[in-house]
């Protein structure tokens, strides 16, 4: 086995091992969450009081351990395929390996960016209740306060409610106006 084949094997095995471990840790919420050397200010992310970013690219930067492992994994396996299956020369196999490694990094970055956009802050925006139909949960006295249940942002919530037009009994359907 020549040195190029050995190099591709080392890149493929090392990259795959680190890639799988880091990806597993990221999806399980383990690890130090240091996915790169770029600060939140560099990527334009919002920063909350404890300093954690909330930008979708926070989880992936091009100079992170995950991206380097992805590059090694993709280039190692493609280099082996190019050398052994496609019978390319050393230069052709190396170019294929590097090109595929870069493609893998770009693909992973896009996939993680899309996955991070699925996150939800969990913050309830009460304005989303305007115009929705709900049910009185706790009797609302005239000019007093009771409670209604209404679906907001895909979940059933109980909100404080007031009536300006008389008492509203429990179980009555109401429309949120304000």
């Amino acid at each position: 086995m020549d040195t190029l084949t050995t190099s591709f094997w080392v890149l493929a095995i090392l990259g795959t091992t680190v890639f799988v471990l880091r990806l597993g840790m990221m999806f399980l919420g383990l690890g130090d969450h240091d996915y790169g050397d770029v600060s939140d200010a560099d990527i334009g992310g919002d920063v909350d009081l404890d300093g954690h970013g909330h930008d979708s690219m926070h989880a992936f930067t091009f100079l992170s351990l995950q991206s380097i492992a992805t590059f090694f994994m993709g280039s190692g396996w493609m280099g082996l395929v190019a050398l052994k299956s496609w019978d390319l020369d050393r230069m052709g196999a190396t170019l294929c390996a590097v090109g595929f490694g870069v493609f893998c990094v770009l693909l992973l970055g896009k996939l993680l960016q899309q996955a991070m956009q699925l996150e939800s802050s969990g913050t309830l925006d009460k304005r989303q209740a305007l115009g929705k139909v709900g049910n009185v949960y706790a009797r609302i006295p005239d000019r007093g306060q009771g409670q209604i249940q209404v679906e907001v942002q895909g979940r059933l919530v109980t909100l404080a409610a007031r009536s300006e037009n008389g008492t509203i009994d429990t179980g009555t359907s109401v429309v949120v106006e304000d």
Side-chain angles (χ1 to χ4, degrees):
M1 194 165 25
D2 68 350
T3 57
L4 187 60
T5 302
T6 302
S7 298
F8 285 145
W9 272 112
V10 168
L11 288 174
I13 292 170
L14 179 68
T16 301
T17 302
V18 173
F19 175 85
V20 169
L21 289 174
R22 290 288 292 181
L23 195 62
M25 288 172 57
M26 183 174 67
F27 283 118
L28 291 175
L30 303 173
D32 58 3
H33 301 291
D34 179 23
Y35 301 111
D37 298 322
V38 178
S39 71
D40 293 320
D42 293 336
I43 58 176
D46 295 327
V47 178
D48 60 16
L49 294 177
D50 62 4
H52 294 102
H54 296 290
D55 194 280
S56 62
M57 285 304 291
H58 173 70
F60 184 82
T61 62
F62 288 101
L63 297 177
S64 67
L65 180 60
Q66 187 70 29
S67 65
I68 293 168
T70 301
F71 177 79
F72 284 175
M73 178 181 67
S75 62
W77 291 118
M78 179 53 78
L80 289 170
V81 167
L83 276 178
K84 302 300 181 188
S85 296
W86 298 345
D87 294 323
L88 294 179
D89 63 354
R90 296 170 66 83
M91 181 58 76
T94 302
L95 289 174
C96 282
V98 170
F100 190 71
V102 169
F103 171 76
C104 288
V105 170
L106 294 174
L107 179 64
L108 179 68
K110 189 64 174 172
L111 289 173
L112 290 177
Q113 181 183 31
Q114 294 297 316
M116 295 301 170
Q117 289 177 354
L118 296 175
E119 287 184 0
S120 162
S121 70
T123 304
L124 179 67
D125 181 6
K126 292 180 183 177
R127 294 175 299 194
Q128 298 290 323
L130 293 176
K132 301 264 179 141
V133 175
N135 290 313
V136 176
Y137 179 71
R139 184 175 172 269
I140 305 171
D142 186 28
R143 304 217 189 278
Q145 185 171 320
Q147 293 180 328
I148 63 166
Q149 287 188 328
V150 62
E151 186 175 326
V152 180
Q153 294 172 261
R155 60 184 176 185
L156 186 64
V157 295
T158 303
L159 300 172
R162 301 179 66 77
S163 170
E164 300 292 325
N165 300 325
T167 300
I168 305 175
D169 291 325
T170 302
T172 304
S173 291
V174 295
V175 175
V176 178
E177 294 178 353
D178 188 20

